[in-house]
C-alpha cells in the first residue's frame, strides 16, 4: 500500500531501477487563477498565501518521493498543484504516517489531507470529504501461490496482512471473513501491521498469503516487487470514493476546493492528469462533497 522511501529504493535496486529512471510528462498547461474562488478561501489561507497539506508520500501512483527525497510525484501532487493554481495560492505538502492524516486535519495543524483517502460513513463523522476519484481493490499474492482464484471463498482460512487504520481491515472483518463463516468455511486469519511496507515485506517473505490493495497501485507495485506477484479481482470487493479531507467546520475551504475541481473538470486538466497516470478507469464523473452519503454507490 504505502511503501516507505528507504524500502522503495531497496526494492527498486533489486529490480535494477531508480525513482529517477521513471520519466513523467512535464506539466506545461497554463491554469488561470479564479478570482472569485480565491476570495472565497478562508482568511488565514489568503493571508499566508499557502494551503498546508498533509500526506503520506509512500504510495504510488498517488504520491511518492522522487530520488531527491523532497519532490513528491504522483497524480495527487499534479492535482493539488493544479488546484493551487486555480485558487491562486501555493501548496505546502508535508509527509507523515497515514494514521496521523485525519487527526492532523481535525486538530487544525493542517488545512487538508490527500493520500488516496477513501470516503466512508465513519470518516464523514469526523471530517468533510471533497471527492475527486473512485478506488477499487484487488487481492495481491505471490505469483507462485495458485490457491487464490476469483472465488472469495478461496481466501477462507488463509493469512492476510493489513495495515492498521485502513479500510482493508474492514473489508476483511466485515465482508470476506463473514462470507467464509456463512459458507461453513474457516475465517481469514488477520495479521495487523503498523505500516504498508511491513505488510508488503510480510507478503514477500511468505509470512502471509495475501494482502488487499488499491487496484490503481498494481502496476507500480509489480514493477518494484522483489518477487513476482499477481493480482486477483473477485466479487465482494468494495468500491470507494476518494477525497480531500478538511475540517467539518471549514466549509469555505471545502467549497473553494470543490469549485477548483469543477474548473479542472471543465477545462480538461483533470482528465489530462488521470490519463498521464493511467487512471482513466477510476475517473469520477463530477466532483462532490461527502459522496458516500450524498451520492451513494448502487
Amino acid at each position: 500500500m504505502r511503501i516507505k522511501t528507504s524500502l522503495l529504493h531497496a526494492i527498486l535496486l533489486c529490480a535494477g531501477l531508480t525513482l529517477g529512471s521513471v520519466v513523467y510528462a512535464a506539466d506545461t498547461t497554463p491554469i488561470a487563477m479564479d478570482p472569485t474562488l480565491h476570495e472565497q478561501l478562508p482568511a488565514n489561507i489568503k493571508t499566508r498565501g499557502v494551503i498546508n497539506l498533509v500526506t503520506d508520500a509512500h504510495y504510488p501512483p498517488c504520491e511518492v518521493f522522487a530520488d531527491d527525497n523532497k519532490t513528491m510525484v504522483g497524480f495527487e501532487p499534479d492535482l493539488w498543484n493544479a488546484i493551487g493554481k486555480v485558487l491562486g495560492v501555493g501548496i505546502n505538502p508535508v509527509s507523515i504516517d497515514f494514521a496521523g492524516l485525519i487527526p492532523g486535519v481535525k486538530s487544525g495543524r493542517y488545512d487538508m489531507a490527500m493520500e488516496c483517502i477513501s470516503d466512508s460513513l465513519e470518516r464523514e463523522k469526523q471530517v468533510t470529504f471533497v471527492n475527486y476519484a473512485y478506488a477499487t481493490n484487488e487481492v495481491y499474492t505471490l505469483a507462485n501461490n495458485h490457491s487464490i482464484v476469483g472465488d472469495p471463498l478461496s481466501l477462507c482460512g488463509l493469512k492476510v496482512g493489513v495495515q492498521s487504520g485502513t479500510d482493508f481491515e474492514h473489508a476483511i472483518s466485515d465482508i470476506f471473513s463473514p462470507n467464509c463463516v456463512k459458507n461453513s468455511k474457516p475465517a481469514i486469519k488477520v495479521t495487523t501491521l503498523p505500516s504498508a511496507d511491513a505488510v508488503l515485506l510480510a507478503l514477500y517473505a511468505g509470512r502471509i498469503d495475501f494482502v488487499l490493495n488499491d487496484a490503481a497501485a498494481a502496476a507500480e507495485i509489480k514493477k518494484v516487487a522483489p518477487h513476482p506477484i499477481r493480482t486477483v479481482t473477485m466479487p465482494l470487493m468494495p468500491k470507494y470514493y476518494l477525497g480531500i479531507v478538511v475540517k467539518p467546520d471549514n466549509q469555505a475551504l471545502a467549497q473553494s476546493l470543490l469549485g477548483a475541481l469543477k474548473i479542472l473538470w471543465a477545462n480538461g486538466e483533470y482528465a489530462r492528469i488521470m490519463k498521464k497516470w493511467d487512471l482513466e478507469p477510476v475517473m469520477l464523473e463530477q466532483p462532490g462533497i461527502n459522496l458516500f452519503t450524498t451520492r451513494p454507490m448502487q
Side-chain angles (χ1 to χ4, degrees), residues 161 191 193 197-209:
T191 298
L193 297 164
D197 54 350
V199 172
L200 287 171
L201 282 174
L203 176 65
Y204 301 145
R207 295 194 299 273
I208 56 177
D209 299 304

Side-chain angles (χ1 to χ4, degrees), residues 1-2 4 56 97-103 115 122-123 160-170 172 190-200 211-212:
M1 209 171 85
R2 299 167 184 88
K4 298 298 181 187
D56 181 0
D97 287 341
F98 180 81
L101 300 186
I102 289 178
E115 205 272 9
E122 179 182 348
R123 286 175 174 166
V160 64
V162 296
Q163 183 185 7
S164 176
T166 65
D167 280 324
F168 303 132
E169 283 187 297
H170 298 295
I172 297 297
V190 179
T191 298
T192 303
L193 297 164
S195 65
D197 54 350
V199 172
L200 287 171
V211 303
L212 299 184

Side-chain angles (χ1 to χ4, degrees), residues 74-85:
F75 91 90
E76 286 190 320
D78 284 357
L79 188 58
W80 73 53
N81 286 329
I83 290 170
K85 291 176 183 178

Side-chain angles (χ1 to χ4, degrees), residues 59-288:
Y59 192 25
C62 301
E63 55 275 298
V64 67
F65 282 112
D67 280 344
D68 61 6
N69 207 30
K70 295 179 182 179
T71 306
M72 297 182 193
V73 296
F75 91 90
E76 286 190 320
D78 284 357
L79 188 58
W80 73 53
N81 286 329
I83 290 170
K85 291 176 183 178
V86 173
L87 297 179
V89 294
I91 305 293
N92 177 37
V94 298
S95 180
I96 65 174
D97 287 341
F98 180 81
L101 300 186
I102 289 178
V105 171
K106 288 174 62 179
S107 71
R109 184 174 181 181
Y110 307 104
D111 300 310
M112 70 187 212
M114 287 181 74
E115 205 272 9
C116 289
I117 304 171
S118 53
D119 189 351
S120 68
L121 181 60
E122 179 182 348
R123 286 175 174 166
E124 284 186 8
K125 293 176 181 177
Q126 306 177 64
V127 292
T128 293
F129 280 83
V130 184
N131 304 101
Y132 56 83
Y134 293 110
T136 55
N137 299 155
E138 291 181 336
V139 170
Y140 288 58
T141 188
L142 294 178
N144 60 8
N145 182 338
H146 303 294
S147 66
I148 296 175
V149 295
D151 183 353
L153 294 179
S154 68
L155 303 177
C156 300
L158 299 183
K159 294 177 288 186
V160 64
V162 296
Q163 183 185 7
S164 176
T166 65
D167 280 324
F168 303 132
E169 283 187 297
H170 298 295
I172 297 297
S173 63
D174 300 345
I175 299 174
F176 287 100
S177 268
N179 182 61
C180 293
V181 174
K182 182 180 70 175
N183 287 278
S184 303
K185 301 284 187 180
I188 297 167
K189 302 167 187 175
V190 179
T191 298
T192 303
L193 297 164
S195 65
D197 54 350
V199 172
L200 287 171
L201 282 174
L203 176 65
Y204 301 145
R207 295 194 299 273
I208 56 177
D209 299 304
F210 72 97
V211 303
L212 299 184
N213 212 321
D214 288 340
E220 293 294 329
I221 291 178
K222 286 179 178 178
K223 187 189 303 179
V224 301
H227 303 292
I229 63 172
R230 65 184 180 95
T231 57
V232 182
T233 302
M234 58 181 60
L236 304 182
M237 200 66 75
K239 185 177 182 181
Y240 305 99
Y241 290 113
L242 300 180
I244 304 168
V245 166
V246 301
K247 287 184 69 174
D249 60 359
N250 198 351
Q251 287 305 301
L253 178 56
Q255 292 300 323
S256 297
L257 294 170
L258 179 61
L261 288 174
K262 287 181 177 179
I263 286 176
L264 297 176
W265 255 253
N267 68 14
E269 182 66 7
Y270 171 75
R272 187 197 70 79
I273 291 170
M274 300 300 276
K275 182 177 181 180
K276 168 184 171 181
W277 293 95
D278 295 322
L279 295 174
E280 291 166 291
V282 295
M283 287 173 58
L284 193 60
E285 296 82 6
Q286 284 295 325

